[in-house]
Amino acid sequence: MAPCDSLRWHPFCRLAVSGVTTNYPINVRESLNSDNGARKKRAASNWSWQDRCRSSRLGSDIRVRELSAAVPEFHARFSAHSKVYRYQIYNDTFMDPFQRHWAYLCAYKLNASKMREAANLFVGMHDFSAFANATREDGVPDPLKTISRFDVIQMESLLQLEVEGSGFLYRQVRNMVALLIQIGKEALDSDIVPMILETKDRRVLAKYTSLPAPPHGLCLVSVKYKEDHLKLPLDCPVTSFGRHHTITKCKLPFY
């Protein structure tokens, strides 16, 4: 298992691991699938291997922070009990050049209080079918998701929308943000949120905001895992690769 900092983690991880285990088939499993253009500040992958991963084979925008053993039950994606996403909006007439790659520019003055009020209406267990685009994966995902918090934080011109939930459907976060932007413009009232949720129909959301918020403002901040899946396997080394310190469990310090 490898916690990492990453913009495009999965393809490079597969390349790095398979490059040193060419005699063995490798199935790399990562913590989630993200939209193209979205970033991952902290992500994890797990695989079976017989050698070290060559950091030199990773891209320049990826850093492996630590490698440690994991129990067979651990899965980088399905062992997670919650994930935290952050969406950044730069709310000013002109974009700060230092934020241009990490925040969406909205020149229209947004009402953060209205957005905060509406964001709280997403909290709880809901069927988020109305906020999901057609998935790229096989099968039908469970549309019932639990949102534990949805914070709207204003820091001068920068608005941070941070949401934590048990899981998210494809483009769900960006669709929720797109609706909140319309509410922030005071084009819609906050009571539109429960109304759209109740319809369970993506076509209803499209009447109010046709496109999701752009992907470059979105970042996966953290993934939180089940404690029993972070236990170290029996007879495994107590020293992790990379940082060479003694560990008692896969504590994933950056999560």
Side-chain angles (χ1 to χ4, degrees):
M1 177 176 56
C4 74
D5 296 340
S6 170
L7 293 180
R8 299 180 300 276
W9 165 240
H10 190 241
F12 288 107
C13 176
R14 183 181 297 278
L15 173 66
V17 177
S18 61
V20 296
T21 57
T22 54
N23 295 327
Y24 303 93
I26 296 297
N27 181 24
V28 177
R29 295 168 292 189
E30 65 167 333
S31 53
L32 79 167
N33 295 322
S34 287
D35 299 350
N36 290 335
R39 296 164 290 125
K40 301 175 187 179
K41 188 174 182 180
R42 299 287 184 258
S45 287
N46 67 287
W47 61 86
S48 299
W49 67 339
Q50 309 219 356
D51 205 340
R52 289 190 183 183
C53 174
R54 296 178 183 172
S55 291
S56 61
R57 295 179 66 93
L58 297 175
S60 60
D61 54 359
I62 301 172
R63 292 295 179 271
V64 175
R65 305 297 296 268
E66 187 168 348
L67 301 175
S68 59
V71 294
E73 295 80 13
F74 179 84
H75 190 288
R77 183 177 180 186
F78 300 116
S79 294
H81 69 76
S82 74
K83 299 167 185 176
V84 180
Y85 277 99
R86 179 184 299 147
Y87 195 94
Q88 296 197 133
I89 302 169
Y90 196 77
N91 192 201
D92 208 334
T93 307
F94 302 103
M95 169 59 85
D96 181 339
F98 295 103
Q99 297 286 346
R100 70 189 189 281
H101 294 308
W102 327 117
Y104 162 62
L105 174 64
C106 180
Y108 196 103
K109 181 62 177 177
L110 298 176
N111 187 327
S113 297
K114 290 280 188 182
M115 296 173 70
R116 194 172 295 114
E117 177 185 344
N120 286 331
L121 297 175
F122 285 112
V123 175
M125 179 181 286
H126 304 286
D127 184 322
F128 282 94
S129 298
F131 288 87
N133 284 26
T135 180
R136 299 170 298 179
E137 301 175 353
D138 295 331
V140 180
D142 182 5
L144 285 177
K145 305 296 179 185
T146 300
I147 302 297
S148 55
R149 64 183 178 91
F150 203 150
D151 301 326
V152 178
I153 305 163
Q154 187 164 22
M155 299 180 293
E156 297 182 348
S157 295
L158 190 66
L159 272 177
Q160 289 189 345
L161 281 63
E162 192 164 289
V163 56
E164 180 173 357
S166 59
F168 298 92
L169 300 173
Y170 182 47
R171 294 191 177 173
Q172 176 187 333
V173 176
R174 289 168 56 197
N175 282 321
M176 292 191 297
V177 170
L179 184 64
L180 290 177
I181 290 173
Q182 293 302 313
I183 294 171
K185 291 178 178 179
E186 300 184 352
L188 299 170
D189 292 327
S190 58
D191 58 7
I192 196 72
V193 172
M195 187 277 283
I196 294 177
L197 283 170
E198 190 173 349
T199 68
K200 305 175 187 177
D201 189 343
R202 176 65 177 83
R203 292 171 297 180
V204 175
L205 176 65
K207 295 177 181 178
Y208 303 99
T209 173
S210 57
L211 296 173
H216 67 281
L218 182 65
C219 179
L220 171 69
V221 176
S222 66
V223 181
K224 301 178 182 179
Y225 287 100
K226 302 171 185 175
E227 283 293 321
D228 56 331
H229 285 195
L230 296 180
K231 295 177 181 177
L232 290 178
L234 295 175
D235 302 323
C236 78
V238 295
T239 302
S240 65
F241 293 104
R243 298 198 171 195
H244 301 294
H245 62 257
T246 301
I247 56 176
T248 57
K249 69 173 184 176
C250 288
K251 59 183 182 298
L252 295 175
F254 304 104
Y255 295 77

